[in-house]
């Protein structure tokens, strides 16, 4: 059982390296029932997608 | 000057902008771009014509940017503690709950493909503390693996993760302030 603080820390870590299985499972359990952390996941996803789109755009566009 | 050389030279301003965004240092960017153009002009036969000339040059430039970072490692890196405060703890109450729940950023497709959004994202990257900006760009733009970044900047993986998570939280704050809050206000 994670707190939101612990879950957010793991979500940030997960952006840059693979989490151990136990931590990943605990995170999945928490996010499934936590609306605020689901929002945080969406924000991280959007930032990742936007950065990728910006990079692609900069390499090919004017 | 051949047609090829003229086309390559014509892309210098674009390459300079790309290099500046990565290195945040005009002199280093100038060096990286000059080396990139020189390498391209020395080996025109390696441009197959299957990709855009600009895309091919960006590929060469990425290697030159890493070379610049390697050469300037000492200047490029500051200690983690000196690179701005950590926003993480401020987000939570003592009991571990969010102080303020993350806001709804809406449809990601709506934001991700807008030129104005890219401009805000760039502005936010420029406002990051120097080392955070550098590791974020190396990770997300130059697409370097974590261990490669650690090697180039002579930092530990733990330090790298701290810098990256600080960068992501700052970008999140900045995007909230400069993009999503404004979109919300415009809609209401």
């Amino acid at each position: 059982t994670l707190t939101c603080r612990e879950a957010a820390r793991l979500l940030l870590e997960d952006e840059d390296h693979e989490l151990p299985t136990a931590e990943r499972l605990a995170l999945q359990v928490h996010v499934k029932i936590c609306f605020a952390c689901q929002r945080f996941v969406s924000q991280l996803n959007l930032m990742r997608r936007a950065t990728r789109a910006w990079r692609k755009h900069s390499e090919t566009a004017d | 000057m051949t047609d090829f050389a003229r086309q390559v030279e014509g892309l210098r301003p674009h390459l300079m902008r790309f290099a500046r965004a990565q290195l945040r240092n005009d002199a280093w960017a100038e060096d990286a771009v000059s080396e990139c153009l020189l390498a391209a002009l020395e080996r025109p036969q390696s441009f197959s014509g299957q990709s855009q000339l600009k895309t091919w040059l960006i590929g060469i430039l990425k290697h030159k940017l890493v070379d610049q970072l390697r050469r300037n490692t000492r200047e490029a890196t500051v200690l983690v503690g000196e690179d701005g405060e950590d926003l993480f703890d401020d987000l939570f109450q003592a009991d571990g709950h969010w102080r303020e729940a993350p806001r709804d950023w809406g449809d990601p497709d709506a934001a991700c493909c807008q030129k104005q959004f890219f401009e805000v994202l760039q502005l936010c990257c420029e406002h990051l503390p120097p080392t955070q900006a550098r590791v974020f760009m190396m990770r997300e733009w130059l697409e370097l693996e974590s261990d490669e970044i650690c090697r180039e900047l002579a930092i530990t993986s733990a330090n790298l993760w701290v810098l990256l998570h600080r960068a992501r939280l700052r970008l999140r704050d900045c995007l909230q302030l400069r993009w999503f809050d404004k979109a919300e206000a415009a809609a209401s």
Side-chain angles (χ1 to χ4, degrees):
Chain A
T1 51
L2 299 175
T3 64
C4 292
R5 187 180 190 286
E6 291 164 333
R9 174 79 71 188
L10 289 175
L11 285 166
L12 284 166
E13 277 186 31
D14 194 33
E15 290 288 300
D16 299 302
H17 68 108
E18 204 163 325
L19 294 174
T21 305
E23 292 186 341
R24 177 173 297 283
L25 288 173
L27 184 59
Q28 284 171 352
V29 168
H30 177 90
V31 170
K32 202 170 180 177
I33 58 167
C34 176
F35 185 63
C37 288
Q38 288 168 20
R39 283 262 180 91
F40 189 57
V41 170
S42 297
Q43 291 181 345
L44 290 173
N45 286 343
L46 189 145
M47 288 200 294
R48 194 183 323 116
R49 283 180 60 181
T51 305
R52 195 176 303 149
W54 177 37
R55 187 184 67 223
K56 294 287 179 205
H57 179 72
S58 73
E59 290 178 4
T60 55
D62 292 328
Chain B
M1 191 186 263
T2 65
D3 261 2
F4 180 76
R6 202 171 293 119
Q7 284 179 48
V8 165
E9 187 57 41
L11 288 168
R12 181 187 283 269
H14 180 81
L15 297 172
M16 271 303 291
R17 286 166 188 245
F18 188 91
R20 270 198 211 105
Q22 305 289 329
L23 298 174
R24 297 158 60 115
N25 180 310
D26 283 359
W28 299 358
E30 188 78 58
D31 285 350
V33 169
S34 294
E35 288 175 16
C36 166
L37 295 180
L38 197 60
L41 293 173
E42 281 174 350
R43 295 179 288 109
Q45 67 281 6
S46 60
F47 174 55
S48 66
Q50 289 181 333
S51 61
Q52 273 192 12
L53 180 59
K54 186 183 291 183
T55 307
W56 181 66
L57 288 172
I58 288 283
I60 297 173
L61 180 59
K62 284 182 175 182
H63 292 288
K64 301 303 178 189
L65 293 174
V66 173
D67 287 346
Q68 278 300 319
L69 287 167
R70 187 179 296 140
R71 261 176 233 152
N72 297 289
T73 293
R74 192 161 297 184
E75 276 180 78
T77 311
V78 299
L79 295 174
V80 171
E82 294 171 359
D83 202 46
E85 59 184 329
D86 195 333
L87 304 177
F88 186 79
D89 287 333
D90 294 341
L91 295 173
F92 299 95
Q93 299 168 6
D95 64 3
H97 283 97
W98 289 93
R99 200 175 290 279
E100 185 184 342
R103 308 264 284 281
D104 182 4
W105 280 4
D107 174 16
D109 290 330
C112 283
C113 302
Q114 289 189 43
K115 187 183 140 198
Q116 294 92 329
F117 184 76
F118 294 152
E119 290 175 6
V120 171
L121 187 54
Q122 182 186 351
L123 189 68
C124 290
C125 283
E126 286 172 356
H127 279 78
L128 289 174
T131 307
Q132 286 176 32
R134 190 157 286 126
V135 297
F136 183 77
M137 294 304 251
M138 288 174 86
R139 176 81 180 153
E140 300 294 347
W141 274 67
L142 299 180
E143 300 175 277
L144 299 180
E145 293 297 333
S146 295
D147 55 0
E148 205 173 350
I149 300 173
C150 290
R151 202 166 49 242
E152 300 300 350
L153 295 182
I155 57 177
T156 66
S157 54
N159 281 351
L160 174 65
W161 295 335
V162 168
L163 287 166
L164 283 169
H165 99 227
R166 287 182 181 181
R168 292 184 207 287
L169 288 178
R170 276 179 185 276
L171 283 178
R172 172 182 175 268
D173 260 16
C174 182
L175 289 172
Q176 181 70 59
L177 186 70
R178 293 174 186 270
W179 181 264
F180 293 102
D181 281 354
K182 287 182 178 173
E184 230 173 64
S188 61

